Amino acid sequence: MLRTHTCGDLSEANIGESVTLCGWVDSYRDHGGGLFVDLRDRYGLTQVVFNPPDTSEELIELSKTLRTEYVIQVTGNVAARPEGMANKKMSTGAIELRCTDFKLLNKSKTPPVSPSATGKDLPGEDLRLKHRYLDLRRPEVQRTLLLRDRLIKGMRDYFADHNFADIETPVLGRSTPEGARDYLVPSRVHHGTFYALPQSPQLYKQILMIAGYDRYVQLARCFRDEDLRADRQPEFTQLDVEMSFVDGDDVIGVIDGLVAKLAKEHLGIDVPTPLPRMTYDEAMERFGHDAPDLRFGMELIDCSDLAPKSDFGVFKSVVEAGGHIRAINVKNGTKQYSRRGIDGLTEFVQGLGAKGLAWFRVEEDGKLGGAIAKFFSEELLEEFKERLGTEPGDLILFSADKFAGTCRILHALRTKIAKEMQLYEPDTMNFSWVVEFPMFDYDEDTKSWTAMHHPFTAPLEEHLELLKTDPGKCRAQAYDLVINGSEAGGGTVRIHDSEVQSQVFELLGIDEQTASERFGFLLDALQYGAPPHAGIALGVDRWVMLFAKLDNIRDCIAFPKTQKAGDLMTDAPGTVDAKQLKELAIKLDM
Amino acid sequence: MLRTHTCGDLSEANIGESVTLCGWVDSYRDHGGGLFVDLRDRYGLTQVVFNPPDTSEELIELSKTLRTEYVIQVTGNVAARPEGMANKKMSTGAIELRCTDFKLLNKSKTPPVSPSATGKDLPGEDLRLKHRYLDLRRPEVQRTLLLRDRLIKGMRDYFADHNFADIETPVLGRSTPEGARDYLVPSRVHHGTFYALPQSPQLYKQILMIAGYDRYVQLARCFRDEDLRADRQPEFTQLDVEMSFVDGDDVIGVIDGLVAKLAKEHLGIDVPTPLPRMTYDEAMERFGHDAPDLRFGMELIDCSDLAPKSDFGVFKSVVEAGGHIRAINVKNGTKQYSRRGIDGLTEFVQGLGAKGLAWFRVEEDGKLGGAIAKFFSEELLEEFKERLGTEPGDLILFSADKFAGTCRILHALRTKIAKEMQLYEPDTMNFSWVVEFPMFDYDEDTKSWTAMHHPFTAPLEEHLELLKTDPGKCRAQAYDLVINGSEAGGGTVRIHDSEVQSQVFELLGIDEQTASERFGFLLDALQYGAPPHAGIALGVDRWVMLFAKLDNIRDCIAFPKTQKAGDLMTDAPGTVDAKQLKELAIKLDM
């Protein structure tokens, strides 16, 4: 090795030793007689001093050519820093290395992205992505990727300890029915055909259960060619799990244990298990969202029964049309949101498609005030006060819409306001389950049912009949893990009965030929002794983001793509030779 | 859980307990009164007895409908098997489970591939790959995939223990200069451009070193769209490693430790380290191959100085043309290879492009006999005897060709004969290194140099000058791990000096524009403080094959592709909709 220690190793225990370090010049200060350099590697910083008598005049001269990001190998004596010069913030802050010899291993041009830049000095993301090799030197990015390494190791160890077998499934596969667009790979051997990159290893892991592997785990790369949102990447990593001879509770129990372990190891917090669960229906009632943020309250309150008693036309007509009037009570909200603040919230909901925002403010005397109050009798206002549990200073915000619309608007308001009013500590971590999702969504446009998860999801056993009589009411053996209002994973019990599978396909309008073409091998496999099985997939990038308290998924990935699915460093995707296309029997059609 | 134990758990310690198992009916025997079933899961087999008094008449009747591969859940009492009925070969062979209740979880059609089939009863590979969910039930396949799981876990743990960070690199990338054909993925967002699936994460791991990650490891999926040989797959898994501030010896030392650990844990053998090393030149001299099989001797012996003294025209003319006469001494080979046997070897080498096979047999009196002996003087024969170390019964086989030709022919003969004569125990495992490979191959057709490894490989420091004066003699800081005559991994020290990198590109005829287009980001990165770094990649599929003593790499992969790169189970690659192609702005060109 070119070094005896790393830049994070040395402490007072090493004083008097001669050691050799390698690293990057993080900063340098010329103090007249000689140079002070903070030498950096992945493990830390060590102060190196180029001063007589340890350093020769010749080496001192040479040291003065050093610039930031130069790479050096330096040998010297570990010494205590002079009285009063110790730096308690650095693990190596009690010592310095007095250079006796050094070698320049490599120079550096002036970096366009400085590894020590933070906050406002940080260059724009595009420049950082283009020079990702420099951006990756920033301590914050290194901390995140090393946390990612340890989280992944923790996940792997946990599943190995619980007898799961890590089994690799193909990347070059066949289109799976996950709903999103596939990335395609033209075949050179079979002209006119294509592989698809997996959106998930769903079918393969079910096959592995049918094949008797009992407990499967894989950190699987998955691919979706979708229009990208801030928290999506064209390729992402999924902790993929499947178990045989279990029900959903067993899967939830295994993941509860994983959550408790990782929260303890990486966040230092004790998470009591079993984690709390609520049904999908309850989540929509109370929070208007299937991944409710439970770090704060501000639950949704239905006033659909009271509202039509007022003379407020909007409330009356919405309820008459079968809609709902729901509200949130922003405790002490009038301080945060003045009249102008409420205008801002109104614009916000209008941006989401609402026509406007009805509201009450609770005056100091406890009365409900605001533009709509005049449409309400005193008696009715009292009923609202009781229903909403108002206190002076509260702000009441209404949504009048179809049920789904009120969910969407009030969830968005609730999330925005909690952030603006800082209703939770930034370090709070809240883990919970939402269970019993609907089996199907109804698409009004096509007048047809679609699978809410995927078509292999088993209904609740007591809802099997509803498949025939009322599919909209049929609930699935499905469960989502929610962390701080983000879906951090989701799974289902799978159908292992080929008759139930056929029934579900029929409901989804997937005819026999289509089913056979798309996943005939799974249907075949189900006929040869499929065990009851269930599984889950956790979004690893999302977990890292939540555990690292970051907002941007690109900060959790070593080489992320932009929102246009490009890699600014390598300039991928790129053009290719005509010869390559000819071999693949395709041509451009632009 | 639907069970209290697995089918591999129960022993005499459980006698008297009531337990519940789940699994597949591996076999059943009706012994008149009731049924005996061997119930199977991943963990083992347990004998289940459906007999009075434990089992009710009704359940006994029901049990008679069971067939192989039916899936059941069975509750019963653990009991000692009757006197003399214990089966010591089974871990559960001392007990049986006397059924008190059972439930049919799923039926099975008669499987076209029986999980218990072995040897000649095993259906052809195509049928097994089509019904891979059944083939994967075979205990041998399960053992291999579970060995793979444990080997991979052992690799990961080893590198984590040595401070390596597991960092994921992109699958959707840009074409890298590895020499093989890339799989391409058309971009929907940037019409006319393509991602390439990585042939290796080579450039990314170098970027990670430049970014200061110091020690990187990844089990990376890699892709090569090549014509497939028996031991190649279009996608394969590579244990990918890179280290900073090290030289090649350090990388070799880390892998030595890995070999020792895995050999001990999974094969139960002590492998002394450091593993033996020889240079490429020595390997070609002694064994004619850069991945020599050291489980046996039979080294190549050069007779180019002696051979022209004979009157045998072939020998004379080959040496005159600058070629070599080399031989192997097959000890006791005359017993194995009669005259007809030698004809077989002759055909074998002719199949490899040799004109013929010159040979001596060593008679009982020690004299060299055979068709060519008459061209040799007695004195010359004595010289050959001494050179070749002959004893009665030996068979001497010659190759007369250019040096590379003799290597190819004699390596093939040596390998074939060792197998046929069983010159090593099947359980022998031999690990060694071949180091100092040539930097460049010379392509006679194009009169140009190509990189033997890849263009980022550093020459030996003492050979830097040879880059200018005699590239063919320039040796690289490159090292291959060889297991039983198979290349099981290979790595190099990388160039971290951008001037040396330019020199190598120039030699390879890669002009500045091409270099910049293909890997400009690496060249840029090298300018910003690149540390000395080196790495290696190990072929995980190959390791599993060697550790599992298998011959076919497809047996080491859960869902392998055929030699035509197809998946017979999912029928990938497949056709896609015209709409999908339109979105990608490509069309078929057949």
Side-chain angles (χ1 to χ4, degrees):
Chain A
M1 310 272 174
L2 304 186
R3 65 191 168 195
T4 59
H5 294 76
T6 73
C7 296
D9 279 343
L10 300 174
S11 68
E12 284 170 311
N14 303 94
I15 288 173
E17 291 178 25
S18 173
V19 304
T20 302
L21 302 182
C22 291
W24 287 261
V25 174
D26 194 62
S27 62
Y28 61 95
R29 303 174 298 285
D30 192 341
H31 283 207
L35 200 74
F36 286 74
V37 162
D38 277 347
L39 194 67
R40 187 192 71 233
D41 66 13
R42 178 184 127 189
Y43 310 95
L45 286 173
T46 300
Q47 179 168 293
V48 182
V49 184
F50 300 82
N51 250 354
D54 300 85
T55 324
S56 69
E57 283 302 325
E58 191 186 356
L59 286 178
I60 289 175
E61 277 315 299
L62 184 61
S63 76
K64 291 185 176 175
T65 65
L66 292 178
R67 295 293 173 266
T68 52
E69 303 310 312
Y70 277 31
V71 186
I72 63 172
Q73 179 190 42
V74 56
T75 299
N77 301 311
V78 183
R81 294 203 189 177
E83 192 74 23
M85 304 294 278
N87 180 344
K88 293 199 172 157
K89 284 191 205 156
M90 289 169 71
S91 72
T92 64
I95 59 93
E96 60 189 21
L97 185 67
R98 297 188 178 156
C99 167
T100 53
D101 196 9
F102 88 93
K103 188 176 164 190
L104 180 63
L105 295 175
N106 223 335
K107 292 186 176 186
S108 170
K109 295 203 293 190
T110 304
V113 177
S114 164
S116 55
T118 54
K120 284 181 185 166
D121 294 339
L122 205 57
E125 193 181 17
D126 279 6
L127 189 71
R128 288 188 286 118
L129 289 177
K130 179 172 165 56
H131 299 284
R132 186 66 172 165
Y133 39 89
L134 296 172
D135 197 37
L136 284 169
R137 285 184 190 168
R138 290 194 297 119
E140 191 190 341
V141 182
Q142 294 209 344
R143 268 197 302 277
T144 304
L145 291 181
L146 295 174
L147 170 66
R148 182 183 180 110
D149 160 70
R150 289 192 305 274
L151 271 177
I152 284 179
K153 184 71 169 61
M155 291 173 176
R156 287 198 166 112
D157 288 347
Y158 178 83
F159 285 97
D161 290 345
H162 287 77
N163 235 344
F164 285 76
D166 185 339
I167 299 176
E168 295 166 85
T169 56
V171 168
L172 294 171
R174 197 182 162 86
S175 192
T176 55
E178 303 277 325
R181 239 184 242 105
D182 284 322
Y183 279 104
L184 297 180
V185 182
S187 163
R188 183 179 53 83
V189 181
H190 310 273
H191 283 170
T193 66
F194 295 80
Y195 303 96
L197 304 185
Q199 295 184 31
S200 92
Q202 180 63 35
L203 300 187
Y204 288 108
K205 67 179 176 175
Q206 293 193 236
I207 290 289
L208 285 171
M209 292 305 101
I210 295 171
Y213 286 77
D214 204 69
R215 297 185 149 210
Y216 146 92
V217 68
Q218 185 185 196
L219 269 123
R221 200 70 63 86
C222 304
F223 305 84
R224 290 186 189 185
D225 187 10
E226 288 186 294
D227 301 311
L228 302 171
R229 301 197 310 249
D231 60 348
R232 283 277 177 86
Q233 284 279 307
E235 56 181 300
F236 56 96
T237 302
Q238 173 167 308
L239 177 71
D240 201 44
V241 171
E242 197 80 8
M243 303 168 72
S244 291
F245 303 118
V246 296
D247 58 25
D249 284 349
D250 297 316
V251 177
I252 287 176
V254 166
I255 302 302
D256 276 359
L258 177 72
V259 166
K261 174 189 140 122
L262 296 182
K264 183 73 185 168
E265 286 178 3
H266 300 287
L267 303 170
I269 57 177
D270 288 302
V271 176
T273 56
L275 297 176
R277 300 184 202 181
M278 70 176 76
T279 64
Y280 171 88
D281 290 332
E282 183 184 350
M284 299 309 278
E285 286 290 345
R286 290 176 55 195
F287 302 97
H289 198 257
D290 60 0
D293 194 334
L294 303 184
R295 287 177 294 182
F296 58 95
M298 213 196 294
E299 297 190 15
L300 279 54
I301 303 163
D302 201 311
C303 308
S304 307
D305 54 336
L306 301 181
K309 296 190 204 168
S310 77
D311 295 325
F312 186 44
V314 173
F315 281 8
K316 292 177 93 77
S317 61
V318 164
V319 173
E320 272 166 27
H324 288 250
I325 313 300
R326 299 209 287 168
I328 52 175
N329 179 350
V330 185
K331 303 305 287 181
N332 293 310
T334 54
K335 280 195 198 102
Q336 176 86 14
Y337 299 100
S338 62
R339 188 64 197 242
R340 177 174 295 177
I342 296 174
D343 288 347
L345 295 176
T346 305
E347 280 169 34
F348 173 72
V349 299
Q350 284 170 336
L352 296 172
K355 294 209 179 86
L357 180 65
W359 54 271
F360 284 131
R361 49 184 298 143
V362 187
E363 312 293 352
E364 285 195 16
D365 61 2
K367 288 196 172 155
L368 299 183
I372 65 166
K374 62 183 177 214
F375 300 112
F376 292 68
S377 69
E378 283 300 321
E379 196 190 339
L380 185 57
L381 286 171
E382 285 304 315
E383 284 189 78
F384 268 92
K385 280 169 67 177
E386 195 181 337
R387 174 72 54 87
L388 298 162
T390 59
E391 292 169 297
D394 289 354
L395 175 66
I396 308 299
L397 304 174
F398 288 97
S399 173
D401 203 336
K402 286 182 191 163
F403 185 79
T406 61
C407 287
R408 198 165 51 80
I409 297 299
L410 293 175
H411 165 70
L413 276 174
R414 187 179 169 268
T415 306
K416 174 186 172 68
I417 290 168
K419 197 174 274 181
E420 289 175 354
M421 290 183 68
Q422 299 182 319
L423 294 186
Y424 49 88
E425 295 292 321
D427 276 351
T428 309
M429 291 290 278
N430 187 290
F431 302 87
S432 72
W433 291 98
V434 174
V435 301
E436 297 183 12
F437 280 72
M439 279 288 283
F440 307 104
D441 272 332
Y442 191 71
D443 186 330
E444 294 286 352
D445 294 337
T446 61
K447 306 280 178 213
S448 65
W449 296 103
T450 59
M452 189 136 171
H453 272 76
H454 52 63
F456 314 111
T457 301
L460 294 177
E461 285 201 27
E462 61 271 31
H463 285 192
L464 266 174
E465 274 303 305
L466 291 174
L467 284 181
K468 290 171 196 145
T469 57
D470 193 352
K473 289 226 173 94
C474 188
R475 292 293 177 265
Q477 298 188 52
Y479 32 85
D480 273 9
L481 177 68
V482 180
I483 308 180
N484 295 352
S486 269
E487 184 205 323
T492 65
V493 174
R494 326 300 183 185
I495 298 168
H496 69 279
D497 180 317
S498 53
E499 277 175 42
V500 176
Q501 188 65 74
S502 297
Q503 240 179 306
V504 169
F505 281 154
E506 201 181 315
L507 250 166
L508 295 172
I510 301 173
D511 64 28
E512 264 184 55
Q513 195 192 333
T514 308
S516 158
E517 273 172 20
R518 288 170 72 190
F519 24 79
F521 61 99
L522 180 68
L523 303 183
D524 284 347
L526 284 173
Q527 319 246 346
Y528 290 103
H533 59 291
I536 192 166
L538 306 179
V540 171
D541 308 308
R542 185 79 61 93
W543 273 60
V544 175
M545 186 172 83
L546 292 165
F547 272 63
K549 320 279 181 195
L550 296 170
D551 297 322
N552 183 337
I553 208 127
R554 290 189 292 280
D555 292 336
C556 310
I557 297 172
F559 300 101
K561 302 263 190 315
T562 63
Q563 281 187 266
K564 289 196 160 181
D567 180 336
L568 298 182
M569 182 180 77
T570 64
D571 214 14
T575 53
V576 299
D577 295 345
K579 178 169 163 279
Q580 286 173 278
L581 299 186
K582 199 167 177 65
E583 282 189 325
L584 299 172
I586 59 173
K587 59 183 173 187
L588 301 183
D589 177 27
M590 293 165 67
Chain B
M1 310 272 173
L2 305 185
R3 64 191 169 194
T4 59
H5 295 74
T6 73
C7 297
D9 280 343
L10 300 174
S11 68
E12 284 170 311
N14 302 95
I15 288 173
E17 293 177 24
S18 173
V19 304
T20 302
L21 302 182
C22 291
W24 287 261
V25 174
D26 193 63
S27 62
Y28 59 95
R29 305 173 297 286
D30 193 342
H31 282 208
L35 200 74
F36 284 74
V37 162
D38 277 346
L39 195 67
R40 187 192 71 233
D41 66 15
R42 177 184 128 189
Y43 311 95
L45 287 173
T46 299
Q47 178 168 293
V48 181
V49 185
F50 300 81
N51 250 354
D54 301 86
T55 323
S56 68
E57 282 303 326
E58 191 187 357
L59 287 179
I60 290 175
E61 276 315 299
L62 185 60
S63 77
K64 290 186 177 175
T65 65
L66 292 178
R67 295 294 174 266
T68 53
E69 301 311 311
Y70 277 31
V71 187
I72 63 172
Q73 179 190 42
V74 56
T75 299
N77 301 312
V78 184
R81 293 201 189 180
E83 193 73 24
M85 303 295 277
N87 180 344
K88 293 200 173 155
K89 282 190 207 155
M90 290 168 72
S91 70
T92 63
I95 59 92
E96 61 189 21
L97 185 67
R98 296 186 179 157
C99 167
T100 54
D101 197 8
F102 88 93
K103 188 175 163 191
L104 180 63
L105 296 174
N106 224 335
K107 292 186 176 186
S108 171
K109 295 203 294 191
T110 304
V113 176
S114 165
S116 55
T118 55
K120 283 182 186 164
D121 293 339
L122 206 55
E125 193 181 20
D126 279 5
L127 189 70
R128 288 189 287 117
L129 289 177
K130 180 172 164 57
H131 299 283
R132 186 66 172 164
Y133 39 90
L134 297 172
D135 196 38
L136 284 169
R137 285 184 189 167
R138 289 194 297 119
E140 191 191 341
V141 181
Q142 295 210 344
R143 268 197 302 277
T144 304
L145 290 181
L146 294 174
L147 170 66
R148 183 182 181 110
D149 160 70
R150 288 191 307 274
L151 272 177
I152 284 180
K153 184 71 170 61
M155 291 174 176
R156 289 199 166 113
D157 287 347
Y158 178 83
F159 284 97
D161 289 345
H162 288 77
N163 235 345
F164 285 76
D166 185 340
I167 299 176
E168 294 166 85
T169 56
V171 168
L172 294 170
R174 198 183 161 87
S175 191
T176 55
E178 303 276 325
R181 241 186 241 105
D182 284 321
Y183 280 104
L184 298 180
V185 182
S187 163
R188 183 178 53 82
V189 181
H190 311 272
H191 283 169
T193 66
F194 294 79
Y195 303 96
L197 304 185
Q199 296 184 32
S200 91
Q202 180 63 33
L203 300 187
Y204 289 107
K205 66 178 177 175
Q206 292 193 236
I207 290 289
L208 285 172
M209 293 303 101
I210 295 170
Y213 286 78
D214 205 71
R215 298 185 149 210
Y216 146 92
V217 68
Q218 187 185 196
L219 270 124
R221 200 71 63 84
C222 304
F223 305 85
R224 292 187 188 186
D225 186 9
E226 288 186 294
D227 301 310
L228 303 170
R229 302 196 310 249
D231 60 350
R232 283 277 176 86
Q233 284 279 307
E235 57 182 300
F236 56 97
T237 303
Q238 174 167 308
L239 177 71
D240 202 44
V241 172
E242 197 79 8
M243 301 168 74
S244 291
F245 304 118
V246 298
D247 58 26
D249 283 349
D250 297 316
V251 177
I252 287 176
V254 166
I255 303 302
D256 277 359
L258 177 72
V259 165
K261 173 189 140 122
L262 296 183
K264 183 73 186 170
E265 286 178 4
H266 299 288
L267 302 170
I269 57 176
D270 288 301
V271 176
T273 56
L275 297 176
R277 300 183 201 181
M278 71 176 75
T279 64
Y280 171 89
D281 290 331
E282 183 183 351
M284 299 308 278
E285 286 291 345
R286 291 175 54 194
F287 301 97
H289 198 257
D290 61 0
D293 194 334
L294 304 184
R295 287 177 294 181
F296 57 97
M298 212 195 296
E299 297 189 17
L300 278 54
I301 303 162
D302 200 312
C303 306
S304 307
D305 54 336
L306 300 181
K309 297 189 203 169
S310 77
D311 296 325
F312 186 44
V314 173
F315 282 7
K316 289 176 95 74
S317 60
V318 164
V319 172
E320 272 165 28
H324 288 250
I325 313 300
R326 301 209 287 167
I328 51 175
N329 180 348
V330 184
K331 302 305 288 181
N332 293 308
T334 54
K335 280 196 198 101
Q336 175 86 14
Y337 300 100
S338 62
R339 190 63 195 242
R340 176 175 294 178
I342 296 172
D343 289 347
L345 295 176
T346 306
E347 280 169 35
F348 173 72
V349 297
Q350 284 170 336
L352 297 172
K355 296 210 179 83
L357 180 66
W359 54 271
F360 284 132
R361 48 183 299 144
V362 188
E363 311 292 355
E364 285 195 17
D365 60 3
K367 288 197 174 152
L368 299 183
I372 65 167
K374 62 184 176 216
F375 300 112
F376 292 67
S377 68
E378 282 300 323
E379 196 189 340
L380 185 58
L381 286 173
E382 285 304 314
E383 284 190 78
F384 267 92
K385 281 169 65 177
E386 194 180 338
R387 174 72 55 89
L388 298 164
T390 59
E391 293 169 297
D394 290 353
L395 175 66
I396 310 297
L397 303 174
F398 288 96
S399 172
D401 204 334
K402 286 183 192 164
F403 184 80
T406 61
C407 287
R408 200 165 51 81
I409 298 299
L410 293 176
H411 165 70
L413 277 173
R414 187 178 168 269
T415 306
K416 174 186 171 70
I417 290 167
K419 197 174 273 181
E420 289 174 356
M421 291 182 68
Q422 299 182 319
L423 293 185
Y424 49 87
E425 295 293 321
D427 276 350
T428 308
M429 291 291 276
N430 187 290
F431 302 86
S432 71
W433 292 97
V434 174
V435 300
E436 297 182 14
F437 280 72
M439 278 288 284
F440 307 103
D441 273 332
Y442 192 71
D443 185 329
E444 294 285 353
D445 294 337
T446 62
K447 306 280 180 214
S448 65
W449 296 104
T450 58
M452 189 138 172
H453 274 77
H454 51 62
F456 314 110
T457 301
L460 293 178
E461 287 202 27
E462 62 270 30
H463 284 193
L464 266 174
E465 274 305 304
L466 290 173
L467 283 181
K468 291 170 193 146
T469 57
D470 194 352
K473 287 222 174 99
C474 189
R475 292 294 178 263
Q477 298 187 53
Y479 30 86
D480 273 9
L481 177 68
V482 180
I483 307 179
N484 294 353
S486 269
E487 184 205 324
T492 66
V493 174
R494 326 302 183 185
I495 298 169
H496 69 280
D497 181 317
S498 53
E499 277 177 41
V500 176
Q501 187 66 74
S502 297
Q503 242 179 304
V504 169
F505 282 155
E506 202 182 315
L507 250 165
L508 296 172
I510 301 173
D511 63 30
E512 264 184 55
Q513 196 193 332
T514 308
S516 159
E517 275 171 19
R518 288 170 72 191
F519 25 78
F521 62 100
L522 180 68
L523 303 183
D524 285 346
L526 284 173
Q527 318 246 347
Y528 290 102
H533 60 290
I536 193 165
L538 307 179
V540 171
D541 307 307
R542 185 80 61 91
W543 273 60
V544 175
M545 186 172 84
L546 292 165
F547 272 64
K549 320 279 180 197
L550 295 170
D551 297 322
N552 183 337
I553 208 125
R554 290 188 293 280
D555 292 336
C556 310
I557 296 172
F559 300 101
K561 304 262 188 314
T562 63
Q563 282 187 267
K564 290 196 161 180
D567 180 335
L568 299 181
M569 182 180 77
T570 64
D571 213 15
T575 53
V576 299
D577 294 345
K579 176 169 164 278
Q580 286 173 278
L581 299 185
K582 198 168 177 62
E583 282 190 324
L584 299 172
I586 59 173
K587 57 184 174 186
L588 300 183
D589 177 28
M590 294 164 66

